[in-house]
Amino acid sequence: MRLPPALRTLCLAVLAVLAAAAPAHAQTASIRGFVRDAGNGQALEGATVIVIDRDGRVSGSTTDPDGLYAVLRLAPGRYGVRVSYIGYELLRDTLALRAGEDLTRVFELRSSDVEGQEVTVSAEGQTASSLGAAGLDVVRPADIERLPTPGVSADLVSYVSTQPGVVVQGDRGGQLFVRGGTPSQNLVLVDGIPLLQPFHLIGFYSAFPADILASADFYAGGFGARYGGRISSVLDVKTRTGNKRRFQGSVSAGPFLATAHVEGPLSKTGSASFLISDRESIIEPVAPTLFNRDLPYRFYDRFGKLAVDLGTRTTATVTAMQTYDRGNLSDLQSGRPTGVNEPEEHVVWRNGAYGVRMLHLPAGVPLVAEVNLTLTQHENLFGTPGDEERRSTVQSMNGGAALTYLIGSEELEFGFGVRNVRLDYTLGGQYENVQSDVEYLTEGTIYADMALPLGQTFGLKPGVRLSAFRGRSTVEPRLRAFFRPGGADARHQFVGAWGLYRQDLEGISDRRDAGDVFTAWISSGIGDRVPRAMHVIGGYGYKASRAFSFEIEGYYKKLDYLLAPAFQSVPSFSARLQETDGTVVGVDVKTSVERGPAFASLAYGFSRTRYRALDTRAQVLYGGGPYTYAPPHDRPHQLTAVVAVDIKGFQLSTQWQFGAGLPFTRSSGFDTFVLLDSLNDVTVDPGVARVLYGQPYDARLPTYHRLDVSLERVFAVRPNLDVTLQAGVTNAYDRRNLFYLDLFTLRRIDQLPLIPSAGLKVAFK
Amino acid sequence: MTAADAPVQAPPVPVPPVSVSPLPTPPAGPAPRRHMRGIAVLAPVLLMLAAVVSSGCEDAVNPFLDDPRFFTVYGFLSTDADTQVLRIEAVRRTVDLPQPGPLDAVVTTTDLTSGAVTTWRDSLVLFANGTRGHVFFGAFRPEHGHRYRLEVRRGDGQVTSATTRVPDRLSPRIGTEPRPVDVSNGVAIQPVTFPGVTNAPRQVAITYRFAPARPDYPFRDVQLVYEQPSIGSRVGTDWQVRVNYSLDVDSLSRLFAGRIPPLYAVGVRLAQGDSLWVPPGGLPTFDFDILIEPTAMTNVENGFGFFGSVGMQRAEWGLSRALTEALGIPAP
């Protein structure tokens, strides 16, 4: 196969860098390996490994999400080693390195038994460097568990949906709009496996319960070249491995969910473990009794993971995840009394995600090799139960490898991948009168991401991603940077990012109706024009200690070649699509204060999303040029306040969210349209019923706000048995928040009313 | 597994707290003043929040525009008819059609040139698809060049109105008759020019007048309606219709099963729409998806729809015997 010129250039550049760095490595030594929790074998991300020579000179490394560290270019000799992590005892060791030696060590840290006392103090977490890169928010289970949720099953989406740049249309639908993008423009990965619609119909839940979560990188924009195929955001979820030392697990029940999870070692040496989690919705059968209303939803998420250490240089994981959602969004809260059965349409989606990931540290080469093989299956149905007229399925097999080459303090990640996708859709004429089609697509990708720290004050991360897809190749340059006046211990940090992004698969939905979340996946592009975006991000962060942080980040996105439903005044079944472009401008502000048992955070987001309809018809109707409008997910103001307090063993969590009203199109009413393109006879032509729409999206729905409160206490019944009791209330002051307004029937669909909840969790360890 | 590869366990004895950071640690201890500064930074945000929230208590939504629009009108005046028709309905706030009954509307047209006022008569029509609609009939024939104002007045005095100007009567120019020799090449075309018509006509029909089947019968007129793109083209400030005898003879032959009767005359009828009755946005043709939008091609005030007019322009002529016979049609 002949590579495109840009691809060849990149390969040659990477090879040149690798070749230039190899001789230097032969004269020095290095130490690499993993840092783990001695109690359960979990990788510790963010641990510090310090190597000190006889003269007191210090070299160091911080572990990545796999717990991987690497200290390179060390002169031969004896070294003292210090390994530290917040909440863990300091580990000290000595070692001797010979010239050219590539030593591998696994360090296991013991958790500090003294509650509330930090045995070690790390600079990490106290300085601006812990605030993260441009557009990035690193989410950890502790961040999620501070938030109130109905029941005791904390979930990643409850955190993500409160971020200032994230708009959700309501507490149902599982649709996240990030900084002006649409849900299908978000890339969601679980252990490197793409998932197409991982958010459940009930907006409190996703496929990612906190129980299985190690961390998640949420890029609201400006992501590096490692990620591609989407133009809005990335949610890269890394799951925990099971406990390698002992068995543990939990069961829980609340009004929405029943859950169970179990994990434990698979070998006596602690080299292998498993983790299984299952969450099943129970809201459908219990709602009529508890809430005197039908909540016709069923969903589940099932997760399993095997982790194996193949020596000290290689780890392998096998991940499997299945999700299911089925429900009717349009009828909820419509006042339909319990027990009334009407023929309805419903939406169903299923995900299957399976993957094998292997991480290897080749001996003698300063490389980290990562290999991924994944299979993604997704199915989305809409229509009458059992006879759904709309269906979209996606099968995607991905194979890829990433090589991270460590060159002193610089780092070069070079990766490639191949993806085979089968798209099969039956749309029943819903979009552009397309009935059905099958597409087979193959994509080849190669990327390079480089980290170039220029001292401790300034860092650059250039990258480029090249793809060959449907006979066309694309080049997507990326650049990320930080500036910390004062070095790594600086309290102030400036960050920036710029990049070009392209979308290879497109999820088309009929956004004329918020209750219709059916998404059909098709190959992107109108001719050669593939949806693309340019992101520009600039931010400032201040962090003086763990007690206080402040971040502000501005962003600009330029969007091109998007497909959006055209404006139509006739209640047509088939949505015509029109080409649009747009811009998004916004500012996210976040601050948090933590003092003793109390935590408070405030996040405010301003954004202005504008689309331009390039369709000739729109231009004719609304003026000479392209018609500019705020799309239905444009929420200019959004604010979230969280207060969590530990009082005598009780954790009280409160969260208040506010969002400005979303755009909608008003009408003058209804009439009958009669076509007059010739000498039509109005006594014969019955005409067509029509909604007398005004200017598209020229009005705003009422503001959204809601207060959620929960109170939780963990009782240590036995040393190895905890019982958690939780009580809470969702929408505490019973705000009547609008989910959507059906402009044809004028039926108002509201979001969930005040819902009290209680939960019980039993955990053994 | 070698000793060097074995996991290194932390020592079991507690290690005194030691800072191992290679980097200076910020001054320890509480910093309430700094926190106060942080809160001070937040104060403007909180004030803005309070302002926003105070306006956020409203949870009702009004889906309707507060614009005074009362009726939808569709139809046109025609100089070719003695009775005019208009479809009129009240703009309603529900998608369901109202129960059949009289429309609360008085419909009048005023000839703004002569001052004559006509009151229209309501009727409820049952369409083929089972729906009903109000069709109003106005008993008059509009005059070329006159302006007409339509008023639809509701019982409470609210008025929807529209105005149209009927196109002037024109004197078409009949072009040179094609030579019989051209007929064999299939290019027997005769132009007819309508001066001052710059917009595409709403309809072009060619009428062929044939001898009656019996002497006491009337002439037999056959009308062939020309569709786009055969309705002609704009030539400067005129509109030129090109009567294509060659193609028309084929149609006529099929119509008469190959036995075309003697031809007496040929005529063109061009339905010239008023100046507003044109595809919106300068598009070449009408597009259903555009016309259905409420803001497209409407001249109705305080309402929706379109109230147009059409002036029928006519020209008639006879063909030479040579040409008629060359076309394969018997001469009278």
Side-chain angles (χ1 to χ4, degrees), chain B residues 20-57:
Chain B
V20 298
S21 168
L23 308 167
T25 304
R33 289 180 187 281
R34 289 201 301 275
H35 301 152
M36 291 307 292
R37 281 205 304 272
I39 291 169
V41 170
L42 291 177
V45 177
L46 293 171
L47 284 174
M48 187 186 64
L49 163 68
V52 171
V53 171
S54 63
S55 67
C57 295

Side-chain angles (χ1 to χ4, degrees), chain A residues 392-426:
Chain A
S392 170
T393 61
V394 180
Q395 282 189 317
S396 173
M397 291 184 66
N398 300 11
L403 302 173
T404 304
Y405 195 80
L406 309 162
I407 319 161
S409 54
E410 296 87 25
E411 206 173 89
L412 171 65
E413 181 180 332
F414 170 74
F416 59 91
V418 177
R419 182 166 60 141
N420 263 299
V421 184
R422 181 180 187 273
L423 306 170
D424 185 348
Y425 44 88
T426 302

Side-chain angles (χ1 to χ4, degrees), chain A residues 322-619:
Chain A
Q322 291 182 332
T323 77
Y324 173 80
D325 285 82
R326 186 258 303 149
N328 179 339
L329 287 172
S330 60
D331 235 343
L332 191 73
Q333 299 299 306
S334 61
R336 186 160 58 97
T338 299
V340 174
N341 295 316
E342 299 166 357
E344 295 169 345
E345 293 179 319
H346 70 172
V347 64
V348 176
W349 67 81
R350 296 184 180 89
N351 283 298
Y354 313 93
V356 178
R357 177 172 180 260
M358 188 172 287
L359 197 68
H360 179 61
L361 310 179
V365 186
L367 267 179
V368 179
E370 180 185 343
V371 177
N372 273 293
L373 293 173
T374 69
L375 171 65
T376 299
Q377 294 174 318
H378 174 76
E379 182 180 39
N380 201 171
L381 309 171
F382 183 85
T384 310
D387 187 26
E388 293 84 0
E389 59 265 27
R390 281 187 268 161
R391 174 188 298 263
S392 170
T393 61
V394 180
Q395 282 189 317
S396 173
M397 291 184 66
N398 300 11
L403 302 173
T404 304
Y405 195 80
L406 309 162
I407 319 161
S409 54
E410 296 87 25
E411 206 173 89
L412 171 65
E413 181 180 332
F414 170 74
F416 59 91
V418 177
R419 182 166 60 141
N420 263 299
V421 184
R422 181 180 187 273
L423 306 170
D424 185 348
Y425 44 88
T426 302
L427 303 179
Q430 170 74 7
Y431 302 100
E432 296 284 9
N433 293 315
V434 172
Q435 293 296 329
S436 62
D437 204 351
V438 178
E439 295 182 70
Y440 293 91
L441 310 166
T442 301
E443 182 186 32
T445 301
I446 186 168
Y447 72 89
D449 252 336
M450 196 160 192
L452 296 171
L454 307 175
Q456 293 189 329
T457 304
F458 188 66
L460 270 181
K461 292 185 177 179
V464 63
R465 185 179 182 88
L466 310 173
S467 301
F469 186 63
R470 289 178 67 197
R472 59 190 171 222
S473 58
T474 59
V475 181
E476 299 168 46
R478 318 270 169 90
L479 180 65
R480 305 164 61 74
F482 67 84
F483 172 57
R484 297 182 191 124
D489 61 334
R491 298 177 183 181
H492 305 274
Q493 171 176 272
F494 297 88
V495 293
W498 170 86
L500 296 182
Y501 304 87
R502 283 182 174 79
Q503 180 107 8
D504 47 23
L505 296 183
E506 196 158 3
I508 53 172
S509 332
D510 187 357
R511 303 224 168 278
R512 297 174 301 176
D513 179 356
D516 182 355
V517 295
F518 173 78
T519 302
W521 290 88
I522 61 172
S523 59
S524 288
I526 305 165
D528 284 337
R529 303 191 299 278
V530 181
R532 71 178 186 193
M534 180 184 72
H535 297 186
V536 182
I537 299 175
Y540 163 76
Y542 173 82
K543 188 167 188 179
S545 66
R546 264 193 292 281
F548 177 75
S549 69
F550 173 81
E551 291 173 83
I552 181 167
E553 190 168 281
Y555 55 89
Y556 168 80
K557 286 183 182 177
K558 174 82 178 75
L559 308 167
D560 290 302
Y561 308 138
L562 307 181
L563 283 179
F567 313 125
Q568 288 175 285
S569 288
V570 60
S572 159
F573 175 72
S574 183
R576 210 164 42 75
L577 301 174
Q578 62 178 336
E579 185 178 331
T580 60
D581 63 15
T583 56
V584 187
V585 180
V587 177
D588 289 353
V589 184
K590 293 195 287 188
T591 185
S592 66
V593 179
E594 190 167 9
R595 293 285 294 166
F599 169 86
S601 70
L602 194 62
Y604 167 74
F606 163 79
S607 82
R608 183 179 187 277
T609 305
R610 292 293 180 272
Y611 281 4
R612 289 194 319 159
L614 304 176
D615 189 85
T616 308
R617 295 160 182 168
Q619 297 186 31

Side-chain angles (χ1 to χ4, degrees), chain A residues 127-368:
Chain A
T127 66
S129 62
S130 65
L131 292 175
L136 172 64
D137 194 1
V138 180
V139 190
R140 296 194 167 81
D143 303 321
I144 303 168
E145 285 161 359
R146 283 193 179 114
L147 304 174
T149 49
V152 282
S153 186
D155 195 287
L156 176 61
V157 74
S158 59
Y159 180 89
V160 173
S161 63
T162 60
Q163 293 309 290
V166 178
V167 171
V168 292
Q169 279 188 314
D171 49 25
R172 275 156 292 150
Q175 306 278 294
L176 294 186
F177 301 80
V178 181
R179 289 188 176 175
T182 60
S184 65
Q185 294 165 358
N186 303 327
L187 175 64
V188 181
L189 301 167
V190 55
D191 291 342
I193 314 167
L195 275 171
L196 291 182
Q197 205 166 343
F199 304 106
H200 287 308
L201 268 165
I202 292 283
F204 309 123
Y205 302 107
S206 69
F208 312 116
D211 281 345
I212 67 167
L213 194 68
S215 67
D217 290 343
F218 176 52
Y219 289 91
F223 40 92
R226 181 183 181 87
Y227 305 107
R230 297 290 189 279
I231 61 173
S232 182
S233 75
V234 172
L235 181 61
D236 187 359
V237 178
K238 296 157 185 104
T239 62
R240 287 195 307 118
T241 54
N243 195 320
K244 292 176 178 172
R245 303 287 180 265
R246 61 180 186 274
F247 290 96
Q248 67 181 70
S250 65
V251 292
S252 73
F256 287 89
L257 281 176
T259 77
H261 116 265
V262 63
E263 60 187 282
L266 286 172
S267 70
K268 290 181 180 175
T269 60
S271 61
S273 69
F274 74 95
L275 188 156
I276 296 172
S277 165
D278 185 10
R279 297 198 302 176
E280 305 274 340
S281 70
I282 55 173
I283 187 65
E284 190 172 36
V286 307
T289 306
L290 289 183
F291 308 124
N292 195 30
R293 67 179 62 236
D294 284 338
L295 293 176
Y297 300 108
R298 162 119 167 83
F299 58 92
Y300 64 71
D301 49 79
R302 296 165 183 166
F303 174 80
K305 185 173 183 177
L306 292 175
V308 183
D309 296 334
L310 305 168
T312 56
R313 292 180 177 277
T314 307
T315 64
T317 57
V318 179
T319 303
M321 173 172 272
Q322 291 182 332
T323 77
Y324 173 80
D325 285 82
R326 186 258 303 149
N328 179 339
L329 287 172
S330 60
D331 235 343
L332 191 73
Q333 299 299 306
S334 61
R336 186 160 58 97
T338 299
V340 174
N341 295 316
E342 299 166 357
E344 295 169 345
E345 293 179 319
H346 70 172
V347 64
V348 176
W349 67 81
R350 296 184 180 89
N351 283 298
Y354 313 93
V356 178
R357 177 172 180 260
M358 188 172 287
L359 197 68
H360 179 61
L361 310 179
V365 186
L367 267 179
V368 179

Side-chain angles (χ1 to χ4, degrees), chain A residues 48 50 81-85 87-93 108-110 112 119-121, chain B residues 9-11 13-21:
Chain A
T48 307
I50 301 297
V81 179
R82 304 282 186 272
V83 185
S84 61
Y85 190 63
Y88 286 78
E89 297 173 0
L90 171 70
L91 184 150
R92 291 193 287 194
D93 195 13
E108 297 196 334
L109 302 185
R110 289 181 180 279
S112 166
V119 177
T120 62
V121 178
Chain B
Q9 293 288 338
V13 289
V15 177
V18 175
S19 172
V20 298
S21 168

